[in-house]
């Protein structure tokens, strides 16, 4: 299988992280006591979305995504006329410098003559990528007012800063003396 950055298609079921894998990652983090602050670079690959509710009546909607990681916000390009199944294949980089529990992904519909329409959003927990370093493209549910309204596929990569790597190495070294 090709690495996620070389894959561009949004294929159903490809590389989904199942509930059991998420539970294993969460349990491992609790066992390892990894509740400390993380520092580094979070890379987000925005692949595609599908099954979105089209908010435009006459034309296909023009979706774009606003990604928010704590106070940092970045915006994707507008997928003009892509309707309910846009593809972006865009990468965004965030600097992570303290405890960031999740990435907020908000899908909007760009409208020329009126305010942009809110399509839906997903909150993606980041603990797994902080532990694993990288997660392949996975499908996340998009919701609006607690109602399912589509899916978005995103891959995540976390690169800890040298300071963080050094800190964990020291901690692990001292803990082995017990």
């Amino acid at each position: 299988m090709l690495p996620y950055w070389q894959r561009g298609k949004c294929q159903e079921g490809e590389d989904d992280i199942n509930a059991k894998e998420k539970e294993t990652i969460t349990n491992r983090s609790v066992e390892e006591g990894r509740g400390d602050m993380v520092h580094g670079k979070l890379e987000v690959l925005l692949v595609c979305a599908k099954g979105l509710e089209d908010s435009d009546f006459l034309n296909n909607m023009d979706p774009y995504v606003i990604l928010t990681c704590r106070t940092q916000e970045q915006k994707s390009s507008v997928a003009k006329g892509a309707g309910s199944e846009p593809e972006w294949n865009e990468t965004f980089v965030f600097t992570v410098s303290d405890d960031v529990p999740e990435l907020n992904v908000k899908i909007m519909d760009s409208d020329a003559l009126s305010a942009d329409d809110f399509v839906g959003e997903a909150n993606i927990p980041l603990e797994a990528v902080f532990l694993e370093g990288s997660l392949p493209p996975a499908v996340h549910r998009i919701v609006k007012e607690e109602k399912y309204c589509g899916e978005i596929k995103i891959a995540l990569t976390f690169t800890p800063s040298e300071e963080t790597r050094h800190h964990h190495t020291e901690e692990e070294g001292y803990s082995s003396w017990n």
Side-chain angles (χ1 to χ4, degrees):
M1 181 183 291
L2 291 173
Y4 74 85
W5 59 86
Q6 292 178 345
R7 286 182 247 151
K9 295 295 177 194
C10 185
Q11 297 173 358
E12 188 168 346
E14 178 187 329
D15 293 332
D16 293 349
I17 293 180
N18 65 38
K20 187 170 179 120
E21 287 173 332
K22 286 180 182 175
E23 183 179 338
T24 302
I25 291 167
T26 302
N27 289 342
R28 186 179 320 142
S29 68
V30 170
E31 290 166 10
E32 293 175 358
R34 299 282 176 122
D36 49 353
M37 301 286 198
V38 292
H39 300 276
K41 180 178 74 172
L42 176 67
E43 188 174 313
V44 180
L45 173 64
L46 173 63
V47 180
C48 63
K50 65 180 181 177
L52 301 177
E53 290 185 7
D54 201 332
S55 59
D56 284 349
F57 298 110
L58 301 175
N59 303 319
N60 279 340
M61 68 176 173
D62 305 312
Y64 65 93
V65 175
I66 299 172
L67 300 110
T68 307
C69 186
R70 205 169 277 294
T71 60
Q72 301 167 72
E73 188 174 279
Q74 296 188 46
K75 182 178 161 184
S76 74
S77 62
V78 175
K80 289 217 176 283
S84 62
E85 305 219 353
E87 290 196 24
W88 292 281
N89 293 309
E90 294 180 32
T91 302
F92 303 88
V93 177
F94 294 93
T95 301
V96 179
S97 60
D98 62 29
D99 192 24
V100 180
E102 62 189 17
L103 174 71
N104 176 265
V105 179
K106 190 180 297 185
I107 301 180
M108 303 292 289
D109 174 23
S110 179
D111 289 326
L113 302 175
S114 62
D116 292 353
D117 298 316
F118 173 68
V119 176
E121 68 184 331
N123 289 311
I124 303 170
L126 296 175
E127 185 174 24
V129 74
F130 294 152
L131 289 169
E132 299 298 315
S134 115
L135 299 176
V139 173
H140 303 275
R141 295 170 51 93
I142 298 295
V143 294
K144 179 180 180 181
E145 298 170 359
E146 297 182 22
K147 182 180 157 228
Y148 171 85
C149 59
E151 299 176 340
I152 192 162
K153 185 179 272 190
I154 291 179
L156 300 169
T157 303
F158 177 68
T159 306
S161 65
E162 285 300 317
E163 178 183 304
T164 303
R165 279 187 236 157
H166 180 68
H167 176 68
H168 281 295
T169 304
E170 278 184 12
E171 273 184 4
E172 289 161 8
Y174 292 141
S175 67
S176 66
W177 290 355
N178 292 343

